[in-house]
Each structure stands twice: as structure tokens, then as C-alpha cells.
Amino acid sequence: MTKMAPELPIEVDSETGVWTTDALPMLYVPRHFFINNHTAVAEALGVDKYAEILYRAGYKSAWHWCEKEAELHGLAGVEVFEHYMLRLSQRGWGKFVTEEIDLDAGTARVRLEHSAFVYQLGKTGHKEEYMFTGWFAGAMDQILAARGSALRTVAEQTQSAAEPGCDVGIFIVKPLPDARG
């Protein structure tokens, strides 16, 4: 394994201790701390209910992040989505690779390698990265809205490296069944 310094800009306010990346405040916590909390909430609420809550919250957060990053860096369209995948990868969630994206159709396919969830939880036999689904739809929908498109999407995880016989996670973004372009 080759080690390197972080590739994303990190600033720490010397008075407050607040970490900032790309003008957004950040938290830096150990992976086990986050995933242990995530798992405890899933157990308390039930995975389906927790996944639903995370989808909505993640969607909203991804929309906001993509909007602010597009403005800050002068990005548009696919560039915004690729920048989002890069930043997610650089923050330790795993390596996100956009295998396909078609903004006109409102579709994308994202591969996840080196999932933080799988590293922490192992081969559980379940799709462990459901937290990310709302992120992909929120990012896609913000990009579509910025282009003037009324098309809206939904995202789902179709496989996880935590499942038997799978080495990567796969996420599919597609138009909502009643979406109008």
C-alpha cells in the first residue's frame, strides 16, 4: 500500500477547530465510530425505515453540495457529478466510479470499490451501502434542475461487495416512473 496526503483542500480554523473543505464545514471522525452509530440506528429503527430516512436526507444534502460546488468551481453537467464522485472517494467512503451517465435520459451507473462499510462490517450478505442511494439521485436531480430539466430520478443499490460473490457495489440512477422531461 502506498500512502499519500489528502487530495482535497482541508482548512482548520485555529480558534474554533472547525474543519472546512471547499467552503463547507466538515467533521472528521473514525470510520468505526460512524459505522457503529449507523448500525445502532438501523437496528433501533429497522433497516427499511432507516434507509428511507437516509435517502431523503442524503438527497437533500447531495443537492445542496452539488449546487454549492458547481457555483464555487464553475462546474456544470457531468462535471458536477464527476466532481462529487471524486470528493466522495477522497473522503474515505470508498472509490466511486461513474461507469455510465446520460443527463438527457436521467440515468447513471456508479460502481463502488473499497467500501468503508464493507471494510468495517465484512461480508454480511446484505447491501450495506444503502446510505448512498439518495446521494446519487440528489446529485443527478440538482444537475438536471440547473440545466432546466423537470426530469427527476430515483437511485437504488443493485449489489454490494458485502454480498456473496460480489466484489463491488453497483448503484443505478433512473428517471422516476412518472417523471416528465
Side-chain angles (χ1 to χ4, degrees):
M1 170 177 38
T2 304
K3 298 202 183 230
M4 58 187 220
E7 293 181 319
L8 62 158
I10 299 170
E11 296 176 348
V12 181
D13 184 302
S14 62
E15 290 182 31
T16 65
V18 172
W19 287 50
T20 306
T21 294
D22 293 331
L24 292 173
M26 306 295 282
L27 298 175
Y28 183 62
V29 299
R31 180 174 63 205
H32 74 272
F33 173 83
F34 177 85
I35 293 178
N36 287 342
N37 280 275
H38 171 83
T39 302
V41 174
E43 289 172 0
L45 294 178
V47 171
D48 291 342
K49 182 65 177 173
Y50 186 43
E52 178 185 323
I53 292 166
L54 286 175
Y55 190 96
R56 289 192 311 266
Y59 179 99
K60 181 179 178 179
S61 296
W63 183 299
H64 176 78
W65 190 93
C66 289
E67 187 173 54
K68 295 301 179 191
E69 286 293 287
E71 181 182 317
L72 179 68
H73 297 292
L75 303 173
V78 172
E79 292 176 315
V80 178
F81 199 84
E82 289 295 341
H83 180 62
Y84 190 43
M85 295 303 106
L86 175 65
R87 285 297 197 244
L88 291 175
S89 298
Q90 290 172 329
R91 286 192 251 143
W93 293 108
K95 182 179 177 188
F96 294 86
V97 179
T98 306
E99 292 185 334
E100 302 169 13
I101 186 166
D102 182 338
L103 297 180
D104 293 330
T107 61
R109 178 182 164 102
V110 176
R111 182 178 73 244
L112 172 57
E113 302 170 353
H114 308 289
S115 165
F117 287 92
V118 177
Y119 279 169
Q120 187 68 31
L121 300 172
K123 287 277 190 188
T124 63
H126 304 284
K127 291 174 182 67
E128 296 294 349
E129 301 92 355
Y130 52 86
M131 179 177 160
F132 302 141
T133 55
W135 299 7
F136 302 131
M140 177 67 84
D141 287 1
Q142 188 283 321
I143 295 162
L144 292 171
R147 298 175 83 212
S149 173
L151 184 65
R152 293 299 175 262
T153 65
V154 63
E156 66 178 317
Q157 183 174 19
T158 59
Q159 78 176 45
S160 170
E163 295 176 300
C166 299
D167 295 327
V168 298
I170 299 291
F171 299 84
I172 303 295
V173 180
K174 59 187 176 188
L176 285 168
D178 60 351
R180 306 285 180 253

